[in-house]
Structures are given as structure tokens and as C-alpha cells.
Amino acid sequence: MTTSTSDRRTLIVDSAIDLIATRGLRALTHRALDTALELPAGSTSYYFRTKRALIEAIVDRIATRSRADFAATRDTAGPPVTDPVAIAHGIAVWLDQLLAQRRNHLIARHALIIDQLGDAALHAKLTASLFSHRHATALFASLNATAPDTAAADFIAIIEGLVFDRFAGARTHLAPNTAESIAQLTAVLTIALSSFASSEYPATAAAAAAPRSRRQRPTIP
């Protein structure tokens, strides 16, 4: 059975994602991928002439897979809900599945986000590949948030932190696909959704920060 060009490219890109997740970006070379896949020397460079071309393919693969997974989740989510707890639980289940099934994608994505800070196009594609700002804004608009755009950005920041915490932070011990995992994610997301959807947000956040800022100012003798 022959392997099509498309299948071979996908195989190489998926192996590259696993390589970044397990050994870091420095380990990503054409030769390392040939070795990992037991391909003849030069096979990876035949499909991806440069490391840049390989990284672009990796970013496209992560972004495309993320869109497909998110679309599948939305298709099976049922009618729209406005209860923050129910919404938080749905997002928590989705994040838990990502952590269980696509952990290497999440790790590689994070490594590439840092590596590609100087490339506006690739960086933007990567940052939008976990939770779309457009969808988050629509979510907070449906919850009648005063500033849905700001709420969306802050909510995505919470999601990014939660995911990082689970694959590289203090909660790496908390296994996905467990009730405890989903409960932990749901609890934080519920608080974030309820707070950011409040009619007083973000004014309340600014007001709460002001006293702290004044207290932190050094006193002059």
C-alpha cells in the first residue's frame, strides 16, 4: 500500500509536533524527523525544503485541527445556554478533552507562540488557535456583558493560564479525563464568566485595582 504525498506530509508534521513537545524546538531538524519516522535520509527535506516551511506547516496543522475540534464541539452542544455554570462546564469538558487527546499540540503551540513572537502572521494564527476572540466576544455579547470585547480578551487569558497550568505548571499531576479535572476547570471558568459578564465589568476591576496601586506607591519621608 502506497502512502500519498498528503498523508506523508501529515505524518511528518504530526511527528514534528510530538518532537517539539517531548524534546523541545531545538531538537526539530529534518534529520531528526527522518530518524524518528525511519524514513530515508532527505525525506523530510523533500517535502519541506526549509525549517521555516516545516514550522509553517506545523502551525497550520495545529490551527486547522483546533478549528475542526471546536466546530465539532459546537455542533454537538445543543441549543444556546445563558447559565454561566453550564457554559463553564461545557468549556471545561472541551479543555479537558484537549488536555487528554492533544497534549502535545498544546505544548508545541506554546513553544511556538514564544518562538514566533517576531512573526506577526504566525503568532496571530497560534494565539487564535485555542479559543477564538471572535467566538468569545459573541459569547459575552449573548450574556449581555457591558464590554464583551474586553471580557473576551480577559476570559481567553484565563483559559490560556488554566491550560498552561495543567501541562507545564503546578497542576501537571491532575490527570485529564477525570471528574476532578473537569471540576477544577469548571470552578475557575464559572467565576471568570460570572465576573466578566457582570454589568459593572470592567469598571469594577479598574476600581478594585486603584487602591492597590496607591498602597504600593513608596512613601516619601
Side-chain angles (χ1 to χ4, degrees):
M1 180 178 176
T2 59
T3 302
S4 70
T5 297
S6 178
D7 289 343
R8 179 62 59 85
R9 288 174 64 89
T10 299
L11 185 67
I12 291 171
V13 171
D14 284 344
S15 181
I17 291 170
D18 291 340
L19 188 66
I20 294 171
T22 56
R23 295 173 55 191
L25 267 170
R26 290 185 179 182
L28 182 65
T29 65
H30 291 74
R31 179 178 295 181
L33 289 169
D34 288 343
T35 300
L37 291 168
E38 299 182 347
L39 296 173
S43 295
T44 298
S45 61
Y46 173 80
Y47 292 99
F48 304 99
R49 296 293 183 184
T50 64
K51 188 172 183 178
R52 167 73 183 189
L54 181 57
I55 287 176
E56 288 177 348
I58 293 168
V59 173
D60 283 341
R61 174 68 168 157
I62 291 173
T64 300
R65 176 69 188 276
S66 295
R67 283 195 301 269
D69 286 355
F70 187 73
T73 301
R74 286 171 62 87
D75 288 343
T76 58
V81 295
T82 56
D83 175 21
V85 177
I87 295 171
H89 182 264
I91 296 173
V93 170
W94 170 65
L95 290 177
D96 182 75
Q97 290 175 350
L98 288 181
L99 289 161
Q101 300 170 10
R102 295 181 57 209
R103 184 174 184 272
N104 282 358
H105 274 221
L106 295 171
I107 295 172
R109 171 183 176 271
H110 193 271
L112 286 166
I113 282 175
I114 296 171
D115 186 66
Q116 298 299 316
L117 276 169
D119 188 309
L122 288 184
H123 189 262
K125 186 176 288 189
L126 285 163
T127 55
S129 67
L130 182 59
F131 201 105
S132 159
H133 185 272
R134 178 171 62 87
H135 285 114
T137 301
L139 168 63
F140 281 99
S142 72
L143 294 173
N144 298 316
T146 303
D149 188 72
T150 300
D154 290 343
F155 187 63
I156 290 172
I158 296 291
I159 289 176
E160 293 280 4
L162 282 171
V163 171
F164 179 83
D165 184 44
R166 295 290 294 276
F167 71 70
R171 289 192 176 91
T172 55
H173 64 280
L174 186 53
N177 267 343
T178 62
E180 183 184 6
S181 170
I182 294 172
Q184 185 266 329
L185 294 168
T186 300
V188 179
L189 292 172
T190 299
I191 294 170
L193 273 168
S194 300
S195 299
F196 299 160
S198 165
S199 61
E200 287 129 16
Y201 187 85
T204 49
R212 287 199 295 273
S213 299
R214 287 196 292 270
R215 285 199 299 270
Q216 289 169 357
R217 292 174 186 166
T219 54
I220 300 175

